Each structure stands twice: as C-alpha cells, then as structure tokens.
Amino acid sequence: SFSLFFFFFLTNMTEKIHNTPCGKIHYWINKTAHNSTPQLVFLPGLTADHRLFDKQIEYFKSKYPIFVWDAPAHAASWPFDFNFNLTNKAHWLNEILQKEGFNKPIIIGQSMGAYVGQVYSEFYPNQLHGFISIDSAPLQREYTTAFEIWLLKRMEPIYRLCPWKMLLSSGSNGVSTTEYGRQLMLDMMTTYNTDKERYTRL
C-alpha cells in the first residue's frame, strides 16, 4: 500500500523476520545513526502496528539506532498461532535485540507494548537502559482489583457482541487528541475489517 511504501521511503527502515515456534515476527530496523547507543525500541499497543511510531522514527532515525515491530499476530506478523503470552513476547524481543546488537535498549511501549516492556525488565534488568510507558498501566497484582481481573478474562465475548462500526469509532477516537492520531489508528484498525475474529482474540 502507499502508506507502507511511504514508511519505507521516509525512514529507510529495513524489514527483517524473526522465526518463532508460533510464527514469523516482522520487524524494521535502522542502525545508521550518529550515535550507537542507546538504541530506541518502539513497541506498538494492542491492534496497532509499526506505523504508530512513524513520526517518532522520522525524528530520531539519524540520532539513534531504531527498532519497531508488528507484534505477534498483528499486521505483517500474521498468520501467527495464538498459543503465546507476554513472557514469550519478551523473550522473542530479547532474541531479536541480541541478534541485532541492541545491547542498551530504551523500550518505548504504548499500552500493550509497555506491558511487554515491563515483562522484559523483569527478565533482563541488566540489559534494559531505559523504559518509557505511554498510556499503559502497571502489571503488578497490587494495582489491579479482583473485579478488573474477572472482567478482563471475559472481554473476548464482549467484543464479539459489539458492532464493528462501534469498535472502529471508539477504538480510533479514544486513543488520540489529534486528527492525525485518530486517523492513523482508524487506518490500522481497518486491517481487521474482514477478520473481526482475530481482533476479538487479540
């Protein structure tokens, strides 16, 4: 698509693939920067993809090495078996970062991306150089009520009952204060126009 071409042209990012037992993870990387450390690792949130950070990547690409991915079962990282969890994602992320020589990563995670960053920090505290959480929440049990956990475990059938147009509207309008951000999220959500089942499972 034009937007994908524009992303490659604008940022000079190189697409790569990391194989896992559940499927292939597509990620984009650019190491041609004035500084070799730290490295910026951008992790989009649930149902979003690498385009979420287009403007940040354009700004930082000449300053620091850059990484961004389509999370497992998202966008280009599909098809993908749903037999994985946050721990798997953190380990796969580490495998990629080690392979690419990202030894001082600063993880910038939006929503679910920040959850992955928190799990990464639990397993690899000595490797993490920094962590930025955007519109996310702590994973520790003391920050979550029993009712919230009960509700979270039942969200999939709730999403199945919601009309798709309503999900598109609420999902795109509620994530940004700018027209650019709302339109970007709408564009990313349209990936699931013909696959609401995957959207609800995510």
Side-chain angles (χ1 to χ4, degrees):
S1 69
F2 174 77
S3 61
L4 208 56
F5 170 80
F6 185 71
F7 175 80
F8 294 139
F9 178 78
L10 184 67
T11 61
N12 298 316
M13 301 289 281
T14 300
E15 181 179 6
K16 295 189 176 184
I17 295 174
H18 181 71
N19 293 308
T20 79
C22 296
K24 299 178 185 294
I25 297 175
H26 288 246
Y27 65 95
W28 290 262
I29 198 163
N30 185 340
K31 300 180 185 178
T32 59
H34 297 310
N35 307 289
S36 60
T37 58
Q39 305 93 24
L40 305 185
V41 176
F42 292 100
L43 303 180
L46 200 61
T47 73
D49 59 48
H50 64 271
R51 292 173 289 175
L52 184 72
F53 292 107
D54 278 2
K55 289 188 177 294
Q56 290 78 13
I57 289 171
E58 174 60 20
Y59 179 82
F60 284 111
K61 68 174 183 178
S62 63
K63 300 175 175 62
Y64 303 103
I66 297 287
F67 166 97
V68 65
W69 74 3
D70 281 349
H74 288 66
S77 298
W78 178 260
F80 207 92
D81 291 339
F82 276 101
N83 187 29
F84 67 90
N85 54 35
L86 280 172
T87 297
N88 298 132
K89 289 165 78 170
H91 289 321
W92 292 332
L93 177 63
N94 181 64
E95 290 172 3
I96 297 172
L97 297 183
Q98 291 298 302
K99 179 172 60 178
E100 296 293 349
F102 276 41
N103 57 354
K104 289 187 177 180
I106 294 178
I107 291 180
I108 302 110
Q110 185 262 338
S111 191
M112 178 62 73
Y115 292 164
V116 178
Q118 290 178 67
V119 177
Y120 181 93
S121 71
E122 293 282 339
F123 285 104
Y124 310 104
N126 295 327
Q127 294 170 207
L128 188 65
H129 194 69
F131 173 65
I132 298 171
S133 173
I134 305 167
D135 194 22
S136 193
L139 278 177
Q140 286 79 8
R141 177 63 181 83
E142 60 264 31
Y143 295 103
T144 311
T145 67
F147 175 73
E148 287 171 331
I149 292 176
W150 179 89
L151 188 61
L152 284 169
K153 289 181 178 181
R154 290 156 177 82
M155 287 307 297
E156 185 176 340
I158 292 174
Y159 273 104
R160 289 181 194 276
L161 294 173
C162 293
W164 180 240
K165 286 186 177 180
M166 187 183 80
L167 290 174
L168 279 176
S169 176
S170 61
S172 56
N173 291 328
V175 299
S176 178
T177 59
T178 68
E179 181 58 33
Y180 167 82
R182 289 189 288 270
Q183 183 60 51
L184 179 61
M185 190 64 201
L186 181 62
D187 291 343
M188 292 186 289
M189 287 185 68
T190 57
T191 302
Y192 309 95
N193 272 351
T194 59
D195 196 358
K196 186 185 175 185
E197 173 68 18
R198 175 159 57 116
Y199 181 88
T200 57
R201 294 195 68 185
L202 286 172

PDB file of all heavy atoms in Angstrom, residues 50-82:
ATOM      1  N   HIS A  50       3.425  -1.044  13.366  1.00  0.00           N
ATOM      2  CA  HIS A  50       4.629  -0.216  13.362  1.00  0.00           C
ATOM      3  C   HIS A  50       4.374   1.225  12.937  1.00  0.00           C
ATOM      4  O   HIS A  50       5.131   2.120  13.299  1.00  0.00           O
ATOM      5  CB  HIS A  50       5.684  -0.843  12.443  1.00  0.00           C
ATOM      6  CG  HIS A  50       5.272  -0.902  10.999  1.00  0.00           C
ATOM      7  ND1 HIS A  50       4.592  -1.971  10.463  1.00  0.00           N
ATOM      8  CD2 HIS A  50       5.431  -0.016   9.984  1.00  0.00           C
ATOM      9  CE1 HIS A  50       4.362  -1.756   9.188  1.00  0.00           C
ATOM     10  NE2 HIS A  50       4.854  -0.574   8.870  1.00  0.00           N
ATOM     11  N   ARG A  51       3.297   1.477  12.189  1.00  0.00           N
ATOM     12  CA  ARG A  51       3.012   2.833  11.731  1.00  0.00           C
ATOM     13  C   ARG A  51       2.707   3.795  12.878  1.00  0.00           C
ATOM     14  O   ARG A  51       2.777   5.017  12.702  1.00  0.00           O
ATOM     15  CB  ARG A  51       1.835   2.804  10.754  1.00  0.00           C
ATOM     16  CG  ARG A  51       2.142   2.125   9.434  1.00  0.00           C
ATOM     17  CD  ARG A  51       0.902   1.986   8.576  1.00  0.00           C
ATOM     18  NE  ARG A  51      -0.020   0.988   9.109  1.00  0.00           N
ATOM     19  CZ  ARG A  51      -1.218   0.737   8.605  1.00  0.00           C
ATOM     20  NH1 ARG A  51      -1.667   1.434   7.578  1.00  0.00           N
ATOM     21  NH2 ARG A  51      -1.985  -0.205   9.123  1.00  0.00           N
ATOM     22  N   LEU A  52       2.386   3.253  14.029  1.00  0.00           N
ATOM     23  CA  LEU A  52       2.068   4.100  15.183  1.00  0.00           C
ATOM     24  C   LEU A  52       3.193   5.083  15.488  1.00  0.00           C
ATOM     25  O   LEU A  52       2.944   6.198  15.959  1.00  0.00           O
ATOM     26  CB  LEU A  52       1.794   3.219  16.410  1.00  0.00           C
ATOM     27  CG  LEU A  52       1.352   3.946  17.670  1.00  0.00           C
ATOM     28  CD1 LEU A  52      -0.078   4.453  17.530  1.00  0.00           C
ATOM     29  CD2 LEU A  52       1.463   3.030  18.889  1.00  0.00           C
ATOM     30  N   PHE A  53       4.436   4.683  15.215  1.00  0.00           N
ATOM     31  CA  PHE A  53       5.595   5.494  15.594  1.00  0.00           C
ATOM     32  C   PHE A  53       6.295   6.137  14.392  1.00  0.00           C
ATOM     33  O   PHE A  53       7.474   6.497  14.484  1.00  0.00           O
ATOM     34  CB  PHE A  53       6.590   4.636  16.375  1.00  0.00           C
ATOM     35  CG  PHE A  53       6.085   4.198  17.726  1.00  0.00           C
ATOM     36  CD1 PHE A  53       5.704   2.883  17.953  1.00  0.00           C
ATOM     37  CD2 PHE A  53       5.970   5.109  18.771  1.00  0.00           C
ATOM     38  CE1 PHE A  53       5.241   2.476  19.198  1.00  0.00           C
ATOM     39  CE2 PHE A  53       5.511   4.712  20.014  1.00  0.00           C
ATOM     40  CZ  PHE A  53       5.142   3.392  20.229  1.00  0.00           C
ATOM     41  N   ASP A  54       5.591   6.301  13.270  1.00  0.00           N
ATOM     42  CA  ASP A  54       6.210   6.884  12.075  1.00  0.00           C
ATOM     43  C   ASP A  54       6.907   8.207  12.358  1.00  0.00           C
ATOM     44  O   ASP A  54       8.047   8.432  11.953  1.00  0.00           O
ATOM     45  CB  ASP A  54       5.150   7.107  10.989  1.00  0.00           C
ATOM     46  CG  ASP A  54       4.859   5.847  10.190  1.00  0.00           C
ATOM     47  OD1 ASP A  54       5.447   4.796  10.488  1.00  0.00           O
ATOM     48  OD2 ASP A  54       4.023   5.920   9.264  1.00  0.00           O
ATOM     49  N   LYS A  55       6.222   9.117  13.024  1.00  0.00           N
ATOM     50  CA  LYS A  55       6.782  10.455  13.235  1.00  0.00           C
ATOM     51  C   LYS A  55       7.959  10.431  14.215  1.00  0.00           C
ATOM     52  O   LYS A  55       8.929  11.176  14.058  1.00  0.00           O
ATOM     53  CB  LYS A  55       5.692  11.412  13.709  1.00  0.00           C
ATOM     54  CG  LYS A  55       4.683  11.749  12.618  1.00  0.00           C
ATOM     55  CD  LYS A  55       3.740  12.844  13.038  1.00  0.00           C
ATOM     56  CE  LYS A  55       2.774  13.217  11.921  1.00  0.00           C
ATOM     57  NZ  LYS A  55       3.476  13.834  10.770  1.00  0.00           N
ATOM     58  N   GLN A  56       7.878   9.582  15.234  1.00  0.00           N
ATOM     59  CA  GLN A  56       8.986   9.474  16.180  1.00  0.00           C
ATOM     60  C   GLN A  56      10.220   8.871  15.509  1.00  0.00           C
ATOM     61  O   GLN A  56      11.357   9.309  15.751  1.00  0.00           O
ATOM     62  CB  GLN A  56       8.574   8.610  17.382  1.00  0.00           C
ATOM     63  CG  GLN A  56       7.556   9.262  18.307  1.00  0.00           C
ATOM     64  CD  GLN A  56       6.137   9.219  17.758  1.00  0.00           C
ATOM     65  OE1 GLN A  56       5.829   8.503  16.804  1.00  0.00           O
ATOM     66  NE2 GLN A  56       5.242   9.990  18.372  1.00  0.00           N
ATOM     67  N   ILE A  57       9.986   7.882  14.657  1.00  0.00           N
ATOM     68  CA  ILE A  57      11.104   7.257  13.952  1.00  0.00           C
ATOM     69  C   ILE A  57      11.757   8.247  12.997  1.00  0.00           C
ATOM     70  O   ILE A  57      12.989   8.330  12.911  1.00  0.00           O
ATOM     71  CB  ILE A  57      10.626   5.994  13.203  1.00  0.00           C
ATOM     72  CG1 ILE A  57      10.296   4.895  14.218  1.00  0.00           C
ATOM     73  CG2 ILE A  57      11.667   5.502  12.206  1.00  0.00           C
ATOM     74  CD1 ILE A  57       9.625   3.677  13.629  1.00  0.00           C
ATOM     75  N   GLU A  58      10.945   9.014  12.293  1.00  0.00           N
ATOM     76  CA  GLU A  58      11.494  10.021  11.390  1.00  0.00           C
ATOM     77  C   GLU A  58      12.362  11.028  12.157  1.00  0.00           C
ATOM     78  O   GLU A  58      13.415  11.442  11.675  1.00  0.00           O
ATOM     79  CB  GLU A  58      10.365  10.748  10.655  1.00  0.00           C
ATOM     80  CG  GLU A  58      10.810  11.921   9.796  1.00  0.00           C
ATOM     81  CD  GLU A  58      11.780  11.531   8.700  1.00  0.00           C
ATOM     82  OE1 GLU A  58      11.851  10.337   8.338  1.00  0.00           O
ATOM     83  OE2 GLU A  58      12.480  12.429   8.189  1.00  0.00           O
ATOM     84  N   TYR A  59      11.944  11.390  13.357  1.00  0.00           N
ATOM     85  CA  TYR A  59      12.694  12.377  14.144  1.00  0.00           C
ATOM     86  C   TYR A  59      14.006  11.803  14.687  1.00  0.00           C
ATOM     87  O   TYR A  59      15.050  12.463  14.675  1.00  0.00           O
ATOM     88  CB  TYR A  59      11.828  12.876  15.297  1.00  0.00           C
ATOM     89  CG  TYR A  59      12.527  13.891  16.173  1.00  0.00           C
ATOM     90  CD1 TYR A  59      12.586  15.238  15.803  1.00  0.00           C
ATOM     91  CD2 TYR A  59      13.152  13.503  17.359  1.00  0.00           C
ATOM     92  CE1 TYR A  59      13.245  16.166  16.594  1.00  0.00           C
ATOM     93  CE2 TYR A  59      13.818  14.431  18.154  1.00  0.00           C
ATOM     94  CZ  TYR A  59      13.857  15.763  17.767  1.00  0.00           C
ATOM     95  OH  TYR A  59      14.519  16.667  18.545  1.00  0.00           O
ATOM     96  N   PHE A  60      13.961  10.561  15.170  1.00  0.00           N
ATOM     97  CA  PHE A  60      15.111  10.002  15.869  1.00  0.00           C
ATOM     98  C   PHE A  60      16.055   9.173  15.000  1.00  0.00           C
ATOM     99  O   PHE A  60      17.144   8.811  15.444  1.00  0.00           O
ATOM    100  CB  PHE A  60      14.640   9.109  17.028  1.00  0.00           C
ATOM    101  CG  PHE A  60      14.156   9.868  18.223  1.00  0.00           C
ATOM    102  CD1 PHE A  60      12.810   9.866  18.563  1.00  0.00           C
ATOM    103  CD2 PHE A  60      15.038  10.578  19.023  1.00  0.00           C
ATOM    104  CE1 PHE A  60      12.357  10.560  19.681  1.00  0.00           C
ATOM    105  CE2 PHE A  60      14.595  11.275  20.131  1.00  0.00           C
ATOM    106  CZ  PHE A  60      13.251  11.265  20.466  1.00  0.00           C
ATOM    107  N   LYS A  61      15.680   8.851  13.761  1.00  0.00           N
ATOM    108  CA  LYS A  61      16.417   7.850  12.991  1.00  0.00           C
ATOM    109  C   LYS A  61      17.880   8.226  12.748  1.00  0.00           C
ATOM    110  O   LYS A  61      18.737   7.349  12.674  1.00  0.00           O
ATOM    111  CB  LYS A  61      15.728   7.598  11.654  1.00  0.00           C
ATOM    112  CG  LYS A  61      15.792   8.769  10.690  1.00  0.00           C
ATOM    113  CD  LYS A  61      15.213   8.415   9.332  1.00  0.00           C
ATOM    114  CE  LYS A  61      15.372   9.585   8.375  1.00  0.00           C
ATOM    115  NZ  LYS A  61      14.867   9.270   7.033  1.00  0.00           N
ATOM    116  N   SER A  62      18.197   9.502  12.625  1.00  0.00           N
ATOM    117  CA  SER A  62      19.582   9.895  12.405  1.00  0.00           C
ATOM    118  C   SER A  62      20.354  10.062  13.707  1.00  0.00           C
ATOM    119  O   SER A  62      21.573  10.236  13.697  1.00  0.00           O
ATOM    120  CB  SER A  62      19.641  11.199  11.605  1.00  0.00           C
ATOM    121  OG  SER A  62      19.045  12.254  12.343  1.00  0.00           O
ATOM    122  N   LYS A  63      19.641  10.005  14.835  1.00  0.00           N
ATOM    123  CA  LYS A  63      20.270  10.240  16.131  1.00  0.00           C
ATOM    124  C   LYS A  63      20.644   8.946  16.844  1.00  0.00           C
ATOM    125  O   LYS A  63      21.702   8.849  17.478  1.00  0.00           O
ATOM    126  CB  LYS A  63      19.338  11.070  17.020  1.00  0.00           C
ATOM    127  CG  LYS A  63      18.982  12.443  16.450  1.00  0.00           C
ATOM    128  CD  LYS A  63      17.965  13.162  17.318  1.00  0.00           C
ATOM    129  CE  LYS A  63      17.676  14.567  16.840  1.00  0.00           C
ATOM    130  NZ  LYS A  63      17.088  14.634  15.494  1.00  0.00           N
ATOM    131  N   TYR A  64      19.758   7.935  16.782  1.00  0.00           N
ATOM    132  CA  TYR A  64      19.974   6.674  17.497  1.00  0.00           C
ATOM    133  C   TYR A  64      19.501   5.500  16.644  1.00  0.00           C
ATOM    134  O   TYR A  64      18.597   5.655  15.816  1.00  0.00           O
ATOM    135  CB  TYR A  64      19.190   6.662  18.823  1.00  0.00           C
ATOM    136  CG  TYR A  64      19.527   7.791  19.745  1.00  0.00           C
ATOM    137  CD1 TYR A  64      18.665   8.887  19.866  1.00  0.00           C
ATOM    138  CD2 TYR A  64      20.702   7.795  20.491  1.00  0.00           C
ATOM    139  CE1 TYR A  64      18.966   9.949  20.707  1.00  0.00           C
ATOM    140  CE2 TYR A  64      21.011   8.850  21.339  1.00  0.00           C
ATOM    141  CZ  TYR A  64      20.144   9.916  21.442  1.00  0.00           C
ATOM    142  OH  TYR A  64      20.450  10.965  22.265  1.00  0.00           O
ATOM    143  N   PRO A  65      20.078   4.311  16.856  1.00  0.00           N
ATOM    144  CA  PRO A  65      19.535   3.114  16.198  1.00  0.00           C
ATOM    145  C   PRO A  65      18.076   2.912  16.604  1.00  0.00           C
ATOM    146  O   PRO A  65      17.700   3.166  17.747  1.00  0.00           O
ATOM    147  CB  PRO A  65      20.434   1.989  16.727  1.00  0.00           C
ATOM    148  CG  PRO A  65      21.701   2.669  17.123  1.00  0.00           C
ATOM    149  CD  PRO A  65      21.294   4.020  17.636  1.00  0.00           C
ATOM    150  N   ILE A  66      17.275   2.437  15.661  1.00  0.00           N
ATOM    151  CA  ILE A  66      15.831   2.351  15.835  1.00  0.00           C
ATOM    152  C   ILE A  66      15.344   0.930  15.554  1.00  0.00           C
ATOM    153  O   ILE A  66      15.809   0.279  14.627  1.00  0.00           O
ATOM    154  CB  ILE A  66      15.115   3.313  14.868  1.00  0.00           C
ATOM    155  CG1 ILE A  66      15.479   4.775  15.147  1.00  0.00           C
ATOM    156  CG2 ILE A  66      13.604   3.119  14.908  1.00  0.00           C
ATOM    157  CD1 ILE A  66      14.863   5.347  16.379  1.00  0.00           C
ATOM    158  N   PHE A  67      14.378   0.499  16.361  1.00  0.00           N
ATOM    159  CA  PHE A  67      13.701  -0.780  16.137  1.00  0.00           C
ATOM    160  C   PHE A  67      12.201  -0.576  16.348  1.00  0.00           C
ATOM    161  O   PHE A  67      11.779   0.133  17.256  1.00  0.00           O
ATOM    162  CB  PHE A  67      14.214  -1.831  17.138  1.00  0.00           C
ATOM    163  CG  PHE A  67      13.371  -3.083  17.226  1.00  0.00           C
ATOM    164  CD1 PHE A  67      13.716  -4.221  16.520  1.00  0.00           C
ATOM    165  CD2 PHE A  67      12.236  -3.129  18.036  1.00  0.00           C
ATOM    166  CE1 PHE A  67      12.941  -5.385  16.605  1.00  0.00           C
ATOM    167  CE2 PHE A  67      11.457  -4.278  18.132  1.00  0.00           C
ATOM    168  CZ  PHE A  67      11.816  -5.405  17.407  1.00  0.00           C
ATOM    169  N   VAL A  68      11.405  -1.213  15.497  1.00  0.00           N
ATOM    170  CA  VAL A  68       9.955  -1.244  15.707  1.00  0.00           C
ATOM    171  C   VAL A  68       9.448  -2.562  15.131  1.00  0.00           C
ATOM    172  O   VAL A  68      10.026  -3.085  14.171  1.00  0.00           O
ATOM    173  CB  VAL A  68       9.256  -0.038  15.034  1.00  0.00           C
ATOM    174  CG1 VAL A  68       9.394  -0.069  13.518  1.00  0.00           C
ATOM    175  CG2 VAL A  68       7.782   0.039  15.433  1.00  0.00           C
ATOM    176  N   TRP A  69       8.397  -3.109  15.723  1.00  0.00           N
ATOM    177  CA  TRP A  69       7.873  -4.368  15.192  1.00  0.00           C
ATOM    178  C   TRP A  69       6.369  -4.310  15.005  1.00  0.00           C
ATOM    179  O   TRP A  69       5.692  -3.408  15.502  1.00  0.00           O
ATOM    180  CB  TRP A  69       8.270  -5.558  16.061  1.00  0.00           C
ATOM    181  CG  TRP A  69       7.556  -5.716  17.404  1.00  0.00           C
ATOM    182  CD1 TRP A  69       6.549  -4.935  17.915  1.00  0.00           C
ATOM    183  CD2 TRP A  69       7.793  -6.733  18.377  1.00  0.00           C
ATOM    184  NE1 TRP A  69       6.161  -5.403  19.158  1.00  0.00           N
ATOM    185  CE2 TRP A  69       6.905  -6.515  19.467  1.00  0.00           C
ATOM    186  CE3 TRP A  69       8.647  -7.824  18.443  1.00  0.00           C
ATOM    187  CZ2 TRP A  69       6.870  -7.329  20.593  1.00  0.00           C
ATOM    188  CZ3 TRP A  69       8.617  -8.634  19.581  1.00  0.00           C
ATOM    189  CH2 TRP A  69       7.738  -8.377  20.634  1.00  0.00           C
ATOM    190  N   ASP A  70       5.889  -5.274  14.220  1.00  0.00           N
ATOM    191  CA  ASP A  70       4.488  -5.646  14.271  1.00  0.00           C
ATOM    192  C   ASP A  70       4.420  -6.791  15.263  1.00  0.00           C
ATOM    193  O   ASP A  70       4.998  -7.869  15.020  1.00  0.00           O
ATOM    194  CB  ASP A  70       3.987  -6.099  12.893  1.00  0.00           C
ATOM    195  CG  ASP A  70       3.673  -4.940  11.962  1.00  0.00           C
ATOM    196  OD1 ASP A  70       3.647  -3.788  12.438  1.00  0.00           O
ATOM    197  OD2 ASP A  70       3.458  -5.183  10.760  1.00  0.00           O
ATOM    198  N   ALA A  71       3.765  -6.560  16.375  1.00  0.00           N
ATOM    199  CA  ALA A  71       3.725  -7.568  17.439  1.00  0.00           C
ATOM    200  C   ALA A  71       3.136  -8.879  16.920  1.00  0.00           C
ATOM    201  O   ALA A  71       2.415  -8.899  15.910  1.00  0.00           O
ATOM    202  CB  ALA A  71       2.891  -7.042  18.607  1.00  0.00           C
ATOM    203  N   PRO A  72       3.429  -9.991  17.578  1.00  0.00           N
ATOM    204  CA  PRO A  72       2.870 -11.283  17.158  1.00  0.00           C
ATOM    205  C   PRO A  72       1.363 -11.215  16.920  1.00  0.00           C
ATOM    206  O   PRO A  72       0.618 -10.650  17.721  1.00  0.00           O
ATOM    207  CB  PRO A  72       3.209 -12.195  18.335  1.00  0.00           C
ATOM    208  CG  PRO A  72       4.488 -11.637  18.867  1.00  0.00           C
ATOM    209  CD  PRO A  72       4.348 -10.143  18.720  1.00  0.00           C
ATOM    210  N   ALA A  73       0.930 -11.769  15.776  1.00  0.00           N
ATOM    211  CA  ALA A  73      -0.476 -11.839  15.341  1.00  0.00           C
ATOM    212  C   ALA A  73      -1.012 -10.487  14.882  1.00  0.00           C
ATOM    213  O   ALA A  73      -2.214 -10.342  14.668  1.00  0.00           O
ATOM    214  CB  ALA A  73      -1.370 -12.435  16.417  1.00  0.00           C
ATOM    215  N   HIS A  74      -0.141  -9.483  14.723  1.00  0.00           N
ATOM    216  CA  HIS A  74      -0.546  -8.166  14.260  1.00  0.00           C
ATOM    217  C   HIS A  74       0.012  -7.898  12.858  1.00  0.00           C
ATOM    218  O   HIS A  74       1.162  -8.231  12.563  1.00  0.00           O
ATOM    219  CB  HIS A  74      -0.030  -7.068  15.195  1.00  0.00           C
ATOM    220  CG  HIS A  74      -0.711  -7.002  16.520  1.00  0.00           C
ATOM    221  ND1 HIS A  74      -0.609  -8.001  17.460  1.00  0.00           N
ATOM    222  CD2 HIS A  74      -1.509  -6.045  17.076  1.00  0.00           C
ATOM    223  CE1 HIS A  74      -1.310  -7.666  18.535  1.00  0.00           C
ATOM    224  NE2 HIS A  74      -1.861  -6.483  18.321  1.00  0.00           N
ATOM    225  N   ALA A  75      -0.802  -7.274  12.018  1.00  0.00           N
ATOM    226  CA  ALA A  75      -0.373  -6.748  10.711  1.00  0.00           C
ATOM    227  C   ALA A  75       0.501  -7.754   9.955  1.00  0.00           C
ATOM    228  O   ALA A  75       0.065  -8.853   9.661  1.00  0.00           O
ATOM    229  CB  ALA A  75       0.317  -5.410  10.898  1.00  0.00           C
ATOM    230  N   ALA A  76       1.773  -7.376   9.665  1.00  0.00           N
ATOM    231  CA  ALA A  76       2.633  -8.270   8.880  1.00  0.00           C
ATOM    232  C   ALA A  76       3.021  -9.534   9.641  1.00  0.00           C
ATOM    233  O   ALA A  76       3.408 -10.533   9.022  1.00  0.00           O
ATOM    234  CB  ALA A  76       3.891  -7.517   8.432  1.00  0.00           C
ATOM    235  N   SER A  77       2.937  -9.503  10.977  1.00  0.00           N
ATOM    236  CA  SER A  77       3.277 -10.680  11.785  1.00  0.00           C
ATOM    237  C   SER A  77       2.072 -11.614  11.926  1.00  0.00           C
ATOM    238  O   SER A  77       1.717 -12.068  13.024  1.00  0.00           O
ATOM    239  CB  SER A  77       3.778 -10.250  13.166  1.00  0.00           C
ATOM    240  OG  SER A  77       4.953  -9.481  13.054  1.00  0.00           O
ATOM    241  N   TRP A  78       1.442 -11.854  10.814  1.00  0.00           N
ATOM    242  CA  TRP A  78       0.280 -12.742  10.721  1.00  0.00           C
ATOM    243  C   TRP A  78       0.388 -13.508   9.415  1.00  0.00           C
ATOM    244  O   TRP A  78       0.832 -12.945   8.422  1.00  0.00           O
ATOM    245  CB  TRP A  78      -1.019 -11.915  10.762  1.00  0.00           C
ATOM    246  CG  TRP A  78      -2.271 -12.736  10.621  1.00  0.00           C
ATOM    247  CD1 TRP A  78      -3.024 -12.904   9.476  1.00  0.00           C
ATOM    248  CD2 TRP A  78      -2.909 -13.506  11.638  1.00  0.00           C
ATOM    249  NE1 TRP A  78      -4.090 -13.724   9.726  1.00  0.00           N
ATOM    250  CE2 TRP A  78      -4.036 -14.113  11.053  1.00  0.00           C
ATOM    251  CE3 TRP A  78      -2.633 -13.757  12.987  1.00  0.00           C
ATOM    252  CZ2 TRP A  78      -4.886 -14.957  11.767  1.00  0.00           C
ATOM    253  CZ3 TRP A  78      -3.477 -14.584  13.689  1.00  0.00           C
ATOM    254  CH2 TRP A  78      -4.592 -15.172  13.098  1.00  0.00           C
ATOM    255  N   PRO A  79       0.076 -14.807   9.382  1.00  0.00           N
ATOM    256  CA  PRO A  79      -0.567 -15.614  10.443  1.00  0.00           C
ATOM    257  C   PRO A  79       0.377 -15.943  11.592  1.00  0.00           C
ATOM    258  O   PRO A  79       1.599 -15.965  11.421  1.00  0.00           O
ATOM    259  CB  PRO A  79      -0.996 -16.872   9.695  1.00  0.00           C
ATOM    260  CG  PRO A  79      -0.045 -16.962   8.541  1.00  0.00           C
ATOM    261  CD  PRO A  79       0.260 -15.563   8.130  1.00  0.00           C
ATOM    262  N   PHE A  80      -0.223 -16.218  12.743  1.00  0.00           N
ATOM    263  CA  PHE A  80       0.537 -16.481  13.959  1.00  0.00           C
ATOM    264  C   PHE A  80      -0.356 -17.260  14.920  1.00  0.00           C
ATOM    265  O   PHE A  80      -1.502 -16.870  15.150  1.00  0.00           O
ATOM    266  CB  PHE A  80       0.961 -15.154  14.605  1.00  0.00           C
ATOM    267  CG  PHE A  80       2.219 -15.222  15.427  1.00  0.00           C
ATOM    268  CD1 PHE A  80       3.447 -14.952  14.858  1.00  0.00           C
ATOM    269  CD2 PHE A  80       2.164 -15.543  16.774  1.00  0.00           C
ATOM    270  CE1 PHE A  80       4.620 -15.005  15.624  1.00  0.00           C
ATOM    271  CE2 PHE A  80       3.309 -15.598  17.540  1.00  0.00           C
ATOM    272  CZ  PHE A  80       4.537 -15.322  16.966  1.00  0.00           C
ATOM    273  N   ASP A  81       0.154 -18.367  15.459  1.00  0.00           N
ATOM    274  CA  ASP A  81      -0.621 -19.137  16.431  1.00  0.00           C
ATOM    275  C   ASP A  81      -0.841 -18.312  17.691  1.00  0.00           C
ATOM    276  O   ASP A  81       0.074 -17.623  18.160  1.00  0.00           O
ATOM    277  CB  ASP A  81       0.096 -20.439  16.794  1.00  0.00           C
ATOM    278  CG  ASP A  81       0.118 -21.426  15.648  1.00  0.00           C
ATOM    279  OD1 ASP A  81      -0.725 -21.296  14.745  1.00  0.00           O
ATOM    280  OD2 ASP A  81       0.984 -22.322  15.652  1.00  0.00           O
ATOM    281  N   PHE A  82      -2.032 -18.401  18.270  1.00  0.00           N
ATOM    282  CA  PHE A  82      -2.342 -17.630  19.472  1.00  0.00           C
ATOM    283  C   PHE A  82      -1.855 -18.307  20.757  1.00  0.00           C
ATOM    284  O   PHE A  82      -2.226 -17.894  21.850  1.00  0.00           O
ATOM    285  CB  PHE A  82      -3.845 -17.373  19.564  1.00  0.00           C
ATOM    286  CG  PHE A  82      -4.279 -16.170  18.770  1.00  0.00           C
ATOM    287  CD1 PHE A  82      -4.865 -16.320  17.517  1.00  0.00           C
ATOM    288  CD2 PHE A  82      -4.082 -14.890  19.261  1.00  0.00           C
ATOM    289  CE1 PHE A  82      -5.268 -15.216  16.787  1.00  0.00           C
ATOM    290  CE2 PHE A  82      -4.477 -13.781  18.539  1.00  0.00           C
ATOM    291  CZ  PHE A  82      -5.071 -13.940  17.291  1.00  0.00           C
TER     292      PHE A  82
END
